[in-house]
Amino acid sequence: MTNNKSTPLVDELEAGPWPSFVKEIKKSADGPMASDLLGVLERSYTEKIGHWKHGGMVGVKGYGGGVIGRYNDLAQEFPDAAEFHTVRINPPAGWFYTSEVLRRLCDIWERHGSGLTNFHGATGDAVFLGAKTAELEPLFGELLAAGFDLGGSGSALRTPSCCCGPARCEWACFDTLAVTHELTQAYQDEMHRPAFPYKFKIKASGCPNDCVGAIARSDLSIIGTWRDDIQIDKVELAKYVAAGKPDIVHDVVERCPTRCMRFENSTLSLDNDECARCMHCINALPNALSPGKDRGAMLLVGGKAPVLGGALLSSVLVPFIKLESPYEDIKELLAAIWDVWSEHGKHRERVGEFIQRIGLANFLEQIGLDPQPEMVAHPRTNPYIARHEDKA
Amino acid sequence: MPPIAVKRKTDIGAPHYHGLLPPIIQRNYGKWVRHEIPRPGVLVHTSESGEKLYSVRAGSPRLLSTKTIRLFAALADEFSGGFLRFTSRNNVEFLLSDGGNVAPLILRLEGEGYPVGGTGPAITSIVHTQGWIHCHSAASDASGVVKSVMDELFPYFGSMVLPAKVRIAFACCLNMCGAVHCSDIAILGLHRKVPKINHGTLFKTCEIPTTIASCPTGAIRPATIDGRASLEVIADQCVCCGNCYTVCPSMTMNDPEDGVSIWVGGKVSNARREPMFSKLAIPFLPNHPPRWPEVTTAVKSLVELYAAHAKPFERMGEWIERIGWPRFFRLAGIPFTRDHIDDFTHAGETYKRSVQLRRSPAWGQGG
C-alpha cells in the first residue's frame, strides 16, 4: 500500500452527469491495485505524461498472445500497480451475457486481479485490466473452467466481432453471430499463436449501416446486403404519408444516392436495378420498407487505421455471397488470403497495404479470384499497363 | 523419454451465444420485422409472431469495476430475467420481455448514475482507448477527455434532437486502437516532439532494420554513437507518429507538450453517402487535465454548428460536403493552416482540381 492517497485532480472527474471512470476505479480501490492505479493517474494528470512502460513479454503457457504486458515506471511509489497486465477475454458473439455468467467472471477477476475491466475493449474483447504476472496462470485456468478463453493480440487473428444481427435486428442479412462464432472456433490457433506479418481483424455487420464499423476497422469486412427487391409494406407507408414525417420527397426520395425512387400520387416506387442498397430509405421509413428476402453478404478486404502506410477502407472482394453454414467458402478465401500474405507480406504490413503494394490484380490472381468491375471505383486512368506472360 | 505432462484443455474459444440469449430472442431469432424508439434509450422490436422485445440502453464509462458489473447483473435479474448485452459503443443494454419493467428499470439505472439514452439522432458513448490509465504510447488521457466531453454534451445523450446521429471517438495516439478515423468527430492524441533516443539501451533493445522500416516518412537512419550501432532521427522529416517507439522501446515519445487534434466528417455507414474518413479540423489543442476545456469547447461548438445548419438525416460529413470545406472553416471560425493540407502518400488526391467553388467573402467585393 502507498501513503500517496491524495488525488485532487483525478477527483474532479467524479463530478458531472456522465458516468465517471474515477468512481469506477474508486469502487475497486478497497483493493491495493486499483488504489495505486489512481495514484499513478494523478501523477499523469499533474505531469501531463503517461507512466506506463513499453510492453514486456508476459503470457500464459502455450499461447503467444491474449495478455498485454504492462509495467509502471513508478514501481517504488506504487508497488501494487507496478505489474498491471491486460488480459483479453473472447466474449460471446454479439456481446450477449447472462447475470450468472457476468458474476462468475467477476468472482474470478476479484480473486486474481484489480477488479477493473473494460466492457469492452476497442477490438471487442472483454478486458481485465491489471493482473500481476504470478496471477496469470491461475486466472487463465479459472477462465477456461468457466468456459472462457483468451482473445487475440499481436501479429495474429484478433478476436472476431459482430453486431447483434438476427438476435435483435430485422435488417440482419445474414447470421452475424453464427459466422463470428464459427470463425472464432475454427481459428483458435491463428488467434492464440501469432504467425502473421501483422494483425488481422474480422468484423461482421448484418447490413450496410455497418454498426461495428467493419469497413473501417477490419481486414476482412463481412457486410450484409441482398439481391432481390426492397420490400414495401403499403399499409405502413400510408401511415408515414399521412403523418408527413419524415418528408417522403425531401428526406427520403431526394436523399437516395442513386435517385432510384419516385413518389407520385402518394405511391412510392423503386427501380431496384438502380438501387445501391445503401439503407437510407429503410432507415428513414423502418416500418414500411425492409431489405429484400434473398439476403447474403458482401466481402471486403483491407480496412485499417493509419499505421503504417495510411488509413484504408476495405475494398470489394466478393460482391455477393449467400454466407451459409458451415461457411466453407469464406474459410477457403481466408486460407488463400493468409497463404499469400503470410508468404509475401512484410513485417508489420497489413493485408490492405500488402494489396496496394503488389496491386489488386496480382493479389486476385494469387488468391484465385477473377477481376470484376464491382471491385474498383473506376478502371485505371494511366496507361502504364504491365505485360503479362500468357499463363495458359 | 521426458515425462508427458497432463495436457490442459486450451483453445476452447468463445462460449456459444445461444444459451446466453433471452428466451424471447431464442423464439424470435431472425424473425424480427420492425422496431421503434418510443423514447430515447428504449428500442422496441416486434417479431412476426407479434412478440415485443424491449431494449433499455444505458451509458457506461467502459472502464467498469466488478462492483458495477454485479450491479448490472442484479438489475438484469430484477427486470430482464438476467439477460443483458453490451453494444459496440460500450453501452449496456437490458433485454426485457415485459414492457411494464421498462420505466422502473430506467428509474433504477438513472438513480445509480447510469443514464438511459444513446439511440437515434443522438450522441451516444464515445468509443475510446486506454490513455494514461494503461498505455505506454498515449499522448493524452482517454477516459478524462471522454468524461469531460460527455459531461458537456450530456443533453444530447438523453434526447434525439440532432439532424442525425453524431459518432464521436477518441484515440490517444496514431496507433488508433479505437480506429477513430471514420467518425463524425474524432479526437486524436498527437505527440509533438521527435523521439528521444536512449543510445545506451538501443543496441540491446531494438532491431535496427525493423526500426528504420517502421518510419512512414523515412526519417530514421543508422548512426554510430560512442562506437555502438544506434539510430538518428532527421527532425525535419519526423511526423511524431510513434511507430518507431512501437517497435523500439529506446525511442520514447511521451512529452508534457503532447496534445490532441480534432477531425470531422467521417462515417462508416453506407446510408446515402459512401463511408468516408474524418478530415482535419483543428491541428492541435493542449492537454489540460483534468477537464481539457479547450477540447470540450471545440467539440461542443462543432456539434452546435452542425445542429444549427445540417438538414434532417445529414451526417456531419454530408453537411460539410454540401456547403463546401471553405464555408465550414469560415462558419466554424477555425483558421485554415498549412497543417490542413495533406502531404503524405496520396496527398494529390485531396487537392481541388476544378474551378467549381462557391464565392467567398475572403475574395473581397467588386464596386
Side-chain angles (χ1 to χ4, degrees):
Chain A
M1 297 288 280
T2 164
N3 53 14
N4 197 349
K5 286 292 185 191
S6 169
T7 56
L9 290 177
V10 169
D11 291 352
E12 283 193 39
L13 291 168
E14 288 186 85
W18 187 250
S20 165
F21 72 100
V22 176
K23 283 187 186 167
E24 296 293 328
I25 300 174
K26 287 194 172 180
K27 279 189 192 179
S28 287
D30 47 358
M33 293 186 77
S35 171
D36 271 6
L37 177 70
L38 267 184
V40 172
L41 191 62
E42 178 72 13
R43 188 67 62 84
S44 286
Y45 273 45
T46 309
E47 298 171 358
K48 298 200 260 188
I49 200 163
H51 279 286
W52 298 97
K53 293 202 279 189
H54 191 290
M57 293 297 286
V58 286
V60 299
K61 226 179 331 178
Y63 281 33
V67 182
I68 322 295
R70 281 286 171 244
Y71 296 92
N72 199 280
D73 67 6
L74 302 170
Q76 297 289 326
E77 289 166 82
F78 302 103
D80 283 302
E83 290 173 8
F84 213 85
H85 310 315
T86 308
V87 183
R88 290 184 181 166
I89 297 155
N90 198 146
W95 301 293
F96 286 89
Y97 293 91
T98 62
S99 53
E100 189 193 337
V101 164
L102 284 179
R103 272 193 288 265
R104 184 139 190 216
L105 288 173
C106 290
D107 291 343
I108 294 171
W109 187 224
E110 284 165 2
R111 278 197 288 276
H112 295 290
S114 73
L116 298 175
T117 72
N118 288 149
F119 272 80
H120 293 80
T123 302
D125 291 294
V127 174
F128 283 177
L129 217 55
K132 296 184 179 183
T133 309
E135 295 294 333
L136 291 173
E137 278 297 330
L139 168 66
F140 181 48
E142 286 209 47
L143 283 171
L144 287 171
F148 279 88
D149 201 341
L150 301 187
S153 69
S155 295
L157 173 64
R158 301 299 183 84
T159 307
S161 72
C162 64
C163 68
C164 61
R168 216 247 344 246
C169 187
E170 67 273 24
W171 296 332
C173 292
F174 65 96
D175 192 338
T176 54
L177 282 73
V179 70
T180 298
H181 186 75
E182 173 61 31
L183 295 178
T184 301
Q185 301 308 101
Y187 297 120
Q188 287 293 298
D189 196 39
E190 285 77 1
M191 277 176 67
H192 293 144
R193 285 154 210 101
F196 291 149
Y198 204 12
K199 63 185 100 172
F200 192 96
K201 299 187 178 186
I202 301 175
K203 291 189 191 294
S205 280
C207 84
N209 282 328
D210 197 0
C211 283
V212 292
I215 200 162
R217 305 178 56 207
S218 57
D219 299 86
L220 181 74
S221 319
I222 310 171
I223 301 176
T225 186
W226 62 95
R227 58 183 173 185
D228 57 347
D229 292 356
I230 285 182
Q231 304 179 69
I232 303 180
D233 182 329
K234 290 191 172 131
V235 176
E236 292 293 334
L237 184 66
K239 291 184 194 166
Y240 283 114
V241 174
K245 204 179 168 203
D247 183 313
I248 307 270
V249 172
H250 286 109
D251 295 339
V252 184
V253 173
E254 290 179 0
R255 291 222 167 270
C256 169
T258 63
R259 295 285 192 270
C260 76
M261 311 179 84
R262 294 172 79 87
F263 184 67
E264 286 166 338
N265 307 320
S266 295
T267 306
L268 188 70
S269 58
L270 241 145
D271 180 348
N272 277 281
D273 287 328
E274 292 303 314
C275 169
R277 294 158 296 152
C278 81
M279 287 299 290
H280 172 67
C281 60
I282 298 172
N283 292 341
L285 306 168
N287 292 350
L289 303 184
S290 48
K293 290 178 176 166
D294 186 7
R295 300 177 178 189
M298 196 177 291
L299 306 181
L300 304 94
V301 69
K304 60 182 284 292
V307 170
L308 181 71
L312 295 171
L313 293 167
S314 284
S315 71
V316 174
L317 201 55
V318 179
F320 188 87
I321 183 172
K322 277 305 278 184
L323 209 64
E324 284 161 347
S325 177
Y327 309 107
E328 288 306 326
D329 35 19
I330 202 166
K331 288 180 192 166
E332 277 173 30
L333 184 69
L334 273 172
I337 292 172
W338 288 344
D339 248 14
V340 57
W341 174 54
S342 295
E343 173 89 14
H344 300 291
K346 291 188 202 170
H347 177 59
R348 296 186 79 232
E349 184 176 48
R350 294 283 286 272
V351 74
E353 291 162 324
F354 171 66
I355 293 170
Q356 293 219 131
R357 178 164 63 81
I358 70 164
L360 177 61
N362 285 328
F363 179 73
L364 293 173
E365 190 173 277
Q366 293 286 319
I367 64 170
L369 285 183
D370 290 330
Q372 295 179 55
E374 284 84 356
M375 296 170 174
V376 294
H378 57 74
R380 77 160 70 227
T381 57
N382 72 71
Y384 301 138
I385 305 171
R387 273 184 327 106
H388 310 286
E389 297 300 323
D390 188 356
K391 295 215 166 66
Chain B
M1 271 186 54
I4 295 165
V6 179
K7 208 176 169 211
R8 62 181 171 181
K9 188 162 168 49
T10 61
D11 297 284
I12 63 170
H16 199 282
Y17 53 89
H18 189 262
L20 303 168
L21 302 173
I24 184 172
I25 288 185
Q26 295 195 11
R27 284 195 298 275
N28 296 291
Y29 195 89
K31 295 178 187 165
W32 303 105
V33 289
R34 66 176 56 105
H35 77 275
E36 53 193 338
I37 310 176
R39 57 147 283 172
V42 178
L43 304 166
V44 184
H45 284 81
T46 307
S47 90
E48 57 190 32
S49 72
E51 276 196 284
K52 287 185 189 298
L53 171 72
Y54 302 82
S55 302
V56 176
R57 180 180 295 175
S60 136
R62 185 180 91 136
L63 197 167
L64 295 178
S65 163
T66 48
K67 295 199 172 77
T68 298
I69 298 170
R70 290 181 190 281
L71 168 71
F72 290 163
L75 291 174
D77 283 342
E78 194 175 341
F79 296 102
S80 60
F83 295 96
L84 70 169
R85 70 180 290 268
F86 294 86
T87 71
S88 59
R89 302 189 80 86
N90 311 313
N91 297 301
V92 59
E93 280 181 348
F94 296 84
L95 306 163
L96 288 66
S97 45
D98 179 357
N101 276 340
V102 169
L105 172 60
I106 291 173
L107 208 63
R108 285 284 295 281
L109 277 165
E110 301 205 317
E112 296 283 355
Y114 298 94
V116 171
T119 51
I123 292 177
T124 186
S125 301
I126 298 177
V127 291
H128 62 97
T129 53
Q130 300 287 17
W132 292 336
I133 291 277
H134 212 224
C135 186
H136 65 284
S137 63
S140 181
D141 186 37
S143 306
V145 179
V146 166
K147 161 74 174 149
S148 302
V149 171
M150 283 308 284
D151 277 344
E152 203 64 42
L153 298 177
F154 189 70
Y156 295 109
F157 180 78
S159 62
M160 301 196 291
V161 296
L162 291 167
K165 58 187 168 189
V166 176
R167 293 289 185 248
I168 307 179
F170 180 100
C172 45
C173 82
L174 272 68
N175 248 322
M176 274 194 207
C177 317
V180 304
H181 56 297
C182 293
S183 309
D184 293 282
I185 301 177
I187 310 168
L188 176 64
L190 286 184
H191 298 292
R192 290 291 79 185
K193 296 280 178 68
V194 299
K196 294 171 266 291
I197 303 176
N198 185 339
H199 298 290
T201 56
L202 191 141
F203 71 98
K204 32 181 195 191
T205 56
C206 310
E207 280 180 29
I208 284 181
T210 307
T211 311
I212 291 172
S214 75
C215 181
T217 63
I220 302 174
R221 60 187 175 200
T224 303
I225 311 283
D226 297 334
R228 278 200 186 112
S230 192
L231 294 165
E232 64 183 1
V233 175
I234 307 161
D236 286 349
Q237 249 167 271
C238 175
V239 293
C240 311
C241 69
N243 262 301
C244 53
Y245 182 46
T246 300
V247 299
C248 173
S250 297
M251 300 184 71
T252 58
M253 298 300 303
N254 296 346
D255 189 276
E257 289 179 33
D258 292 340
V260 304
S261 52
I262 311 270
W263 306 67
V264 297
K267 69 197 273 279
V268 292
S269 162
N270 283 266
R272 302 168 306 280
R273 174 69 165 75
E274 290 180 341
M276 50 185 165
F277 291 128
S278 313
K279 284 98 180 172
L280 182 64
I282 303 175
F284 186 81
L285 294 170
N287 276 327
H288 276 160
R291 282 284 172 182
W292 279 268
E294 293 87 350
V295 180
T296 56
T297 303
V299 172
K300 192 177 182 192
S301 308
L302 286 166
V303 170
E304 285 173 351
L305 190 68
Y306 158 78
H309 288 84
K311 293 181 178 173
F313 294 101
E314 261 180 350
R315 294 282 293 269
M316 185 168 285
E318 293 171 291
W319 161 60
I320 297 172
E321 283 199 338
R322 175 166 60 77
I323 66 167
W325 283 96
R327 193 144 143 235
F328 165 77
F329 277 95
R330 279 204 305 279
L331 284 173
I334 298 170
F336 188 84
T337 67
R338 59 169 295 153
D339 290 342
H340 290 93
I341 301 177
D342 194 353
D343 49 14
F344 194 55
T345 313
H346 303 293
E349 292 170 14
T350 68
Y351 305 161
K352 180 74 176 176
R353 296 183 195 274
S354 90
V355 294
Q356 291 190 8
L357 283 170
R358 291 166 184 81
R359 62 187 175 186
S360 164
W363 302 348
Q365 252 179 328

